[in-house]
Amino acid sequence: MTTLLLKDADLLVTMDADRREIPGGGVFVRDGVIEAVGPSASLPTQADETLSLAGCLALPGLINTHHHMYQSLTRALPGAQDAELFAWLRRLYPVWAGLTPEMIRVSTLTAMAELILSGCTTSSDHLYLYPNGARLDDSIEAAAQIGMRFHAARGSMSVGESEGGLPPDRLVEDEDTILKDTQRLIETWHDSARHAMLRIVVAPCSPFSVSRSLMREAARLARAYGVSLHTHLAENDNDVAYSREKFGMTPAAYAESLGWTGADVWHAHCVKLDEAGIDLFARTGTGVAHCPCSNMRLASGIAPIPAMRRAGVPVGLGVDGSASNDAAHLLGEARQAMLLARVGCQPHAEPAAMSARHALELATLGGARVLGRDDIGALVPGMSADLVAFPLDTLALAGAAVHDPVAALVFCAPQQVRYAIINGKPVVAEGQLLPLELPSLIADHNRLARQLIRSTKS
Ligand SMILES: [Zn+2]
């Protein structure tokens, strides 16, 4: 049995039912689970390890609900910098065809290191390409190495160009293989227990890269094992046009027709979710991963997040793949969500459309709900001990944190954490990532990024 005392945060944001913010707050942890939360003087004084959060704002670890971590190898790639979704994919598919298992593992470590330093303690990752012997197990190994709570989504593509899909034929898999491998991953890795560090998600890539029957079979498989479902939906106008032309309905209606609605399903983007779609998602508890930077980068549009929230749709945040959001900073994503909601508010732009505290709610409680978890997203007794602490005495927060440290964290330039605790273990302390050496990871990652581009040209 091990105990950890985190004490003396300048302010502790709990995200509990009363949204308590506790000056001088702290958390007492036993075996990775929060046992007590309150003013530091009210907590037990003896613990195996004690960390002072003085000078910091502490809050629940942020939750990332959508990513493609392998894309860290192809950030800001010439030819894909100024393209919309479909053209961007066509430029990148041939490059990604060169991915190797080592590239998957190293890029996942890189993406996770970046996320953790940005305040994120739980992430999903949607891997949908398996060339050259790559497996989802490569990502899973990386998550275990760095100690991040992980929802590994077994993506897939089965409809290639010759059948009217978007990806080249050499990148698609046979549907039987996809389902068998997904089942293997669930049986090998999925942990349904409370405080699980690893869950598997069933995640065909998108309606324009898999068949109707794979979507149906995927839902059947996921429900037989009680695991979540995830895909991309209604990302931009072309995506909606494809759905109308191929299936004769909107993306939301298509999802419903396949059984892809419910509290165990979340869809990335939903920029073009119409009123009927919002109503459907609210009624069924279907979740949305909102990825504001990616939506701006690809000029996809502005997702109607305030309308979704008013209707009661579960919404979390996603940085999305690093090739369409070259800055995988989750706190930065919360900031963009807040700003974009303001200009995107219908029928008129509205500065009060999303507050800083609402943006942090999306990044914590919202993400937890979308991933189907009731054990993360808040600092409350009985929850997993996932906590991050940002320093308040920085240049970026000067003149802001003194007035309102919570708002300062979101309004000012995104900072890196001083501490990150995941499952009761310090993963960042004094601003240093503990599980691995960043300079050698970056050198490895850059070597592989160059190798990947060389393999495309040869
Ligand atoms: Zn995506």
Side-chain angles (χ1 to χ4, degrees), residues 176-191:
D176 220 40
T177 308
I178 292 168
L179 290 166
K180 282 208 178 91
D181 189 50
T182 310
Q183 183 173 2
R184 172 189 72 80
L185 288 159
I186 297 170
E187 291 179 350
T188 309
W189 296 113
H190 183 71
D191 181 358

Side-chain angles (χ1 to χ4, degrees), residues 430-450:
E430 292 300 333
Q432 298 301 309
L433 192 68
L434 302 176
L436 44 84
E437 295 287 331
L438 270 187
S440 63
L441 174 65
I442 295 166
D444 271 358
H445 186 91
N446 285 339
R447 171 180 59 80
L448 293 168
R450 286 192 194 96

Side-chain angles (χ1 to χ4, degrees), residues 66 68 126 232 235 268-269 320-321:
H66 189 64
H68 312 288
H126 190 186
H232 294 90
E235 184 163 348
H269 303 301
D320 200 3

Side-chain angles (χ1 to χ4, degrees), residues 241-450:
Y242 184 94
S243 181
R244 287 195 182 280
E245 192 189 314
K246 285 270 174 193
F247 315 123
M249 52 187 120
T250 64
Y254 181 60
E256 186 182 28
S257 76
L258 301 166
W260 273 72
T261 52
D264 56 351
V265 184
W266 87 102
H267 296 281
H269 303 301
C270 298
V271 172
K272 300 292 175 181
L273 200 66
D274 59 4
E275 227 171 284
I278 292 175
D279 181 57
L280 170 70
F281 277 37
R283 268 189 288 116
T284 54
T286 308
V288 169
H290 176 41
C291 308
C293 285
S294 170
N295 298 159
M296 290 188 277
R297 159 73 142 93
L298 298 173
S300 300
I302 304 175
I305 301 303
M308 289 182 195
R309 283 171 57 81
R310 274 195 304 277
V313 176
V315 178
L317 293 182
V319 296
D320 200 3
S322 309
S324 66
N325 172 10
D326 312 73
H329 195 296
L330 196 51
L331 182 62
E333 207 64 32
R335 180 172 191 267
Q336 290 296 356
M338 176 183 79
L339 299 176
L340 194 60
R342 295 173 175 210
V343 288
C345 195
Q346 296 296 333
H348 306 293
E350 170 53 70
M354 190 183 290
S355 69
R357 284 173 172 80
H358 275 146
L360 287 177
E361 253 185 57
L362 293 183
T364 53
L365 295 170
R369 188 172 167 204
V370 161
L371 294 186
R373 299 194 70 132
D374 60 4
D375 55 354
I376 54 174
L379 300 177
V380 174
M383 303 288 267
S384 302
D386 291 1
L387 174 150
V388 291
F390 288 90
L392 293 173
D393 55 354
T394 62
L395 180 60
L397 270 59
V402 289
H403 307 305
D404 182 346
V406 182
L409 194 68
V410 183
F411 275 92
C412 299
Q415 303 290 292
Q416 290 198 333
V417 294
R418 186 170 286 167
Y419 289 97
I421 312 299
I422 307 180
N423 207 35
K425 291 189 185 68
V427 174
V428 178
E430 292 300 333
Q432 298 301 309
L433 192 68
L434 302 176
L436 44 84
E437 295 287 331
L438 270 187
S440 63
L441 174 65
I442 295 166
D444 271 358
H445 186 91
N446 285 339
R447 171 180 59 80
L448 293 168
R450 286 192 194 96

Side-chain angles (χ1 to χ4, degrees), residues 1-86:
M1 198 173 283
T2 57
T3 52
L4 171 67
L5 174 64
L6 304 160
K7 63 173 192 176
D8 298 332
D10 284 15
L11 190 68
L12 183 101
V13 176
T14 63
M15 289 290 167
D16 68 6
D18 299 325
R19 300 294 186 273
R20 277 186 310 154
E21 295 175 359
I22 306 170
V27 172
F28 186 79
V29 177
R30 189 183 298 275
D31 288 339
V33 178
I34 296 174
E35 192 170 276
V37 177
S40 296
S42 70
L43 300 173
T45 52
Q46 297 298 314
D48 297 325
E49 188 175 3
T50 300
L51 292 174
S52 167
L53 305 181
C56 291
L57 176 77
L59 69 163
L62 309 182
I63 297 164
N64 179 39
T65 63
H66 189 64
H67 208 331
H68 312 288
M69 296 186 183
Y70 71 87
Q71 293 180 6
S72 302
L73 294 158
T74 55
R75 295 205 251 206
L77 195 70
Q81 291 169 8
D82 307 316
E84 66 75 49
L85 176 66
F86 284 16

Side-chain angles (χ1 to χ4, degrees), residues 51-124:
L51 292 174
S52 167
L53 305 181
C56 291
L57 176 77
L59 69 163
L62 309 182
I63 297 164
N64 179 39
T65 63
H66 189 64
H67 208 331
H68 312 288
M69 296 186 183
Y70 71 87
Q71 293 180 6
S72 302
L73 294 158
T74 55
R75 295 205 251 206
L77 195 70
Q81 291 169 8
D82 307 316
E84 66 75 49
L85 176 66
F86 284 16
W88 174 88
L89 281 169
R90 285 196 185 96
R91 161 76 176 106
L92 288 164
Y93 282 141
V95 178
W96 296 336
L99 286 166
T100 64
E102 183 191 18
M103 289 175 188
I104 301 286
R105 194 178 56 75
V106 172
S107 58
T108 302
L109 280 176
T110 303
M112 287 184 167
E114 193 175 13
L115 278 173
I116 291 169
L117 287 165
S118 81
C120 178
T121 54
T122 297
S123 185
S124 182

